[in-house]
Amino acid sequence: NRVQEAEVTERSINEAREHYRPAATRGSILYFVIADLSLINPMYQFSLPYFTRMFSYCIDCAEKADDVPTRLALLCDFVTRFIFNNVSRGLFEEHKSLYSFLVCTSILRDESSGEIGGPEWSFLVRGPTGISSVARPEACQSWVSESAWRALVYAEATVPQLAGLVGSLEGNSAAWEAWAASEEPHLAPLPAGWEPKLSGSFAKLCIVKVFREEKLIFACSKYVEQRLGKEFTEPAPWTLDDVFPDTSSRTPVVFILSTGADPTAMLQRFAEKQGWTPGERLHMISLGQGQGPIAEMLMAQAAKNGDWVCLQNCHLASSWMLRMEDKVEELSREGNANVHPDFRLWLTSMPSQVFPVMVLQNSIKLTNEPPKGVKANVTRTYNDMTEEHLGSCPAKPEAWRKLLFALSSGASLGRSGGTSDTVGAAAGNVYSGVEGTGTVLLGGEGASLGRLGGTSSAVGRAAVRHTKSHAVGRAAVGHTNHLRFPAAGKHCWPAAARRR
């Protein structure tokens, strides 16, 4: 009887487990995507135990539901978003679009979805193969190249959704030519009744590849946005406040550096805010010749006392990397009683082949690179602000926010190469209608300061020079390099502005 009861129990457990197979499938898809990222950059290393910890966290934290189908939908969505955000914050900007596209297509290529077939994927990745020259019709010879026509014939023969495409081009050549010549063909509707058939489908990417391959990257981003959501094409910028809850005394944090970026000041500000005063409880050392033993001593003392250690420029100490790997492995052991719960290890390194793979695979990785473009610069500026800064002028909150945005966008345009005229015009448009402000001068000054690398203090002083509104402009005198504005006074005037 006991044997029979055990067999019945085992069958019921297996049946219950199978109901959650889709969640396990989603996890395996995501893992194999991020496991292949190391082919792009040697710093993109993720181990299976690290991924398993993230997946287990998602199971615990995802929204609960009584019925299994709803629970599965919530779990798959949470796992996809959480792992995407955790991995993307450790990728350079140039690789994030590729990562989001691989996540999206890998999910849709799986047999559980079946939305992307093998022929479509093969055509997009490899193009036409094994097809000889095909004669072009006279109506298309003036604007369709021989190679493009060969690709069209191949696509129609291999991709089921594109059946009849060649005939459509022959009969509606002018409409297709106008679509192919448009400025943004990936956003324009397909002609000759093809838009309803292929709207939002993967096959449309194949058509864009044939006619306007230079627009394929934008078309892929649009496809990801339609299938998964905008947050997968524009990941939110990270802050150390967001990252710190994911850290632990046994998991190092690795800043992957790029030229012109240094996270030292950001880490020092964050440590001071958390109560780890730089020089007292935050110990920083730049690695190089002869610095290995000193770094090893700092790590041992900090692990015992619960301090933080930041080892900078690890790529310059290639001979000490093996020793660092041993020390990190020793500190990460669960049975090690010499590691204080408050201990944190921060590492910075340029992409390097000598950086220990084991450390990378089991660490939290963060990329730190200068923002590119006006939007990224403005986003970075606002990302460093708090609600207290944004609301630091209660007398005229709307005017204050407009002034702040004009300053931020002016400096961002300057850093992105904008001229004083273009910045001034932009600031004038943004700030029009606000009483007593020198908008064009303000924007132009912001651009000049941005190109010269001016601090927010300099931008604030420029605002005072060019702003006549006593209740708004004088509040713009800031200090530090990340637009930390002082608390508002009676008229939102800091003392320095009143003296001026």
Side-chain angles (χ1 to χ4, degrees):
N1 290 334
R2 290 183 179 179
V3 173
Q4 292 177 350
E5 290 177 2
E7 291 176 350
V8 172
T9 302
E10 183 180 2
R11 282 197 299 270
S12 63
I13 291 175
N14 289 335
E15 290 175 1
R17 288 173 56 196
E18 286 301 319
H19 289 310
Y20 288 90
R21 179 71 64 181
T25 301
R26 178 62 59 87
S28 66
I29 291 172
L30 296 175
Y31 172 71
F32 284 112
V33 170
I34 67 174
D36 288 339
L37 292 177
S38 59
L39 301 174
I40 302 174
N41 191 300
M43 304 296 280
Y44 300 160
Q45 302 279 351
F46 300 87
S47 67
L48 181 58
Y50 179 79
F51 181 86
T52 303
R53 289 198 297 270
M54 287 197 295
F55 192 79
S56 299
Y57 174 84
C58 293
I59 294 175
D60 295 334
C61 297
E63 185 179 347
K64 307 298 189 292
D66 294 331
D67 59 302
V68 175
T70 305
R71 167 67 171 162
L72 280 174
L74 294 171
L75 184 57
C76 288
D77 183 68
F78 187 85
V79 166
T80 305
R81 295 176 189 277
F82 180 82
I83 293 179
F84 174 81
N85 289 327
N86 268 267
V87 174
S88 63
R89 68 192 181 190
L91 306 181
F92 290 116
E93 288 294 331
E94 61 180 329
H95 300 142
K96 289 182 179 179
S97 296
L98 175 60
Y99 171 55
S100 62
F101 183 69
L102 288 175
V103 168
C104 178
T105 53
S106 296
I107 292 172
L108 298 180
R109 286 169 58 204
D110 187 72
E111 59 182 12
S112 59
S113 174
E115 292 194 29
I116 300 177
E120 298 100 300
W121 179 254
S122 178
F123 178 80
L124 189 77
V125 174
R126 301 181 180 88
T129 57
I131 183 172
S132 57
S133 179
V134 181
R136 291 172 291 166
E138 186 175 348
C140 301
Q141 288 183 3
S142 60
W143 63 279
V144 180
S145 65
E146 183 178 344
S147 60
W149 187 259
R150 186 166 61 249
L152 283 172
V153 173
Y154 181 85
E156 183 186 46
T158 56
V159 180
Q161 288 179 282
L162 299 183
L165 180 62
V166 172
S168 177
L169 259 78
E170 292 179 1
N172 303 275
S173 178
W176 279 101
E177 182 179 6
W179 174 83
S182 62
E183 186 175 350
E184 296 181 325
H186 57 288
L187 300 179
L190 293 172
W194 280 84
E195 182 62 25
K197 302 178 186 177
L198 302 180
S199 178
S201 71
F202 191 80
K204 186 174 181 178
L205 299 181
C206 299
I207 297 180
V208 175
K209 175 183 173 66
V210 171
F211 289 104
R212 297 285 297 277
E213 191 167 3
E214 77 277 8
K215 296 292 184 179
L216 185 59
I217 294 177
F218 305 104
C220 290
S221 296
K222 185 66 177 178
Y223 178 76
V224 173
E225 180 181 337
Q226 292 174 336
R227 306 305 298 174
L228 296 183
K230 194 167 186 176
E231 63 189 278
F232 285 84
T233 56
E234 297 181 4
W238 57 266
T239 64
L240 286 178
D241 295 277
D242 300 329
V243 174
F244 189 71
D246 298 336
T247 66
S248 72
S249 58
R250 305 182 188 280
T251 304
V253 180
V254 179
F255 290 100
I256 305 175
L257 305 178
S258 60
T259 304
D262 184 8
T264 303
M266 174 177 58
L267 178 59
Q268 289 176 328
R269 291 195 302 267
F270 177 74
E272 188 172 1
K273 185 171 68 173
Q274 296 292 321
W276 270 256
T277 306
E280 296 179 7
R281 299 205 64 188
L282 171 62
H283 310 283
M284 310 187 74
I285 181 172
S286 181
L287 296 180
Q289 187 174 6
Q291 297 300 305
I294 301 175
E296 191 172 335
M297 179 188 66
L298 282 177
M299 291 171 65
Q301 292 178 350
K304 182 179 179 180
N305 300 329
D307 293 344
W308 293 1
V309 173
C310 178
L311 306 182
Q312 301 172 282
N313 301 321
C314 294
H315 59 283
L316 300 179
S318 57
S319 61
W320 189 70
M321 286 296 97
L322 291 178
R323 181 58 183 163
M324 186 186 77
E325 181 178 10
D326 294 337
K327 292 298 295 182
V328 171
E329 185 178 7
E330 178 184 337
L331 293 172
S332 63
R333 291 192 190 122
E334 292 293 337
N336 192 340
N338 296 323
V339 180
H340 194 283
D342 291 336
F343 169 70
R344 294 294 185 274
L345 178 61
W346 311 83
L347 309 171
T348 73
S349 175
M350 296 287 285
S352 173
Q353 295 283 356
V354 301
F355 198 94
V357 173
M358 187 278 294
V359 177
L360 287 171
Q361 288 183 339
N362 296 282
S363 65
I364 295 173
K365 287 169 283 296
L366 305 171
T367 54
N368 187 51
E369 54 186 329
K372 299 177 182 178
V374 177
K375 184 176 181 180
N377 274 281
V378 173
T379 302
R380 174 70 65 87
T381 300
Y382 273 81
N383 196 46
D384 289 338
M385 298 183 195
T386 63
E387 287 297 326
E388 181 184 358
H389 301 152
L390 294 173
S392 59
C393 185
K396 287 191 176 183
E398 183 179 354
W400 163 249
R401 286 174 180 260
K402 287 186 177 182
L403 173 62
L404 185 60
F405 181 76
L407 280 168
S408 302
S409 58
S412 299
L413 279 164
R415 285 192 295 268
S416 302
T419 65
S420 296
D421 292 337
T422 59
V423 176
N429 291 332
V430 171
Y431 207 63
S432 60
V434 179
E435 178 186 359
T437 54
T439 56
V440 175
L441 289 173
L442 173 64
E445 186 92 22
S448 301
L449 288 167
R451 284 195 297 275
L452 295 173
T455 65
S456 58
S457 299
V459 176
R461 288 193 293 273
V464 172
R465 285 199 300 274
H466 296 307
T467 306
K468 300 176 183 178
S469 174
H470 68 276
V472 180
R474 275 66 172 180
V477 177
H479 56 86
T480 77
N481 289 335
H482 65 290
L483 287 175
R484 182 186 300 162
F485 292 94
K490 182 178 179 181
H491 297 291
C492 303
W493 281 37
R498 290 200 298 272
R499 287 195 299 272
R500 247 182 123 78

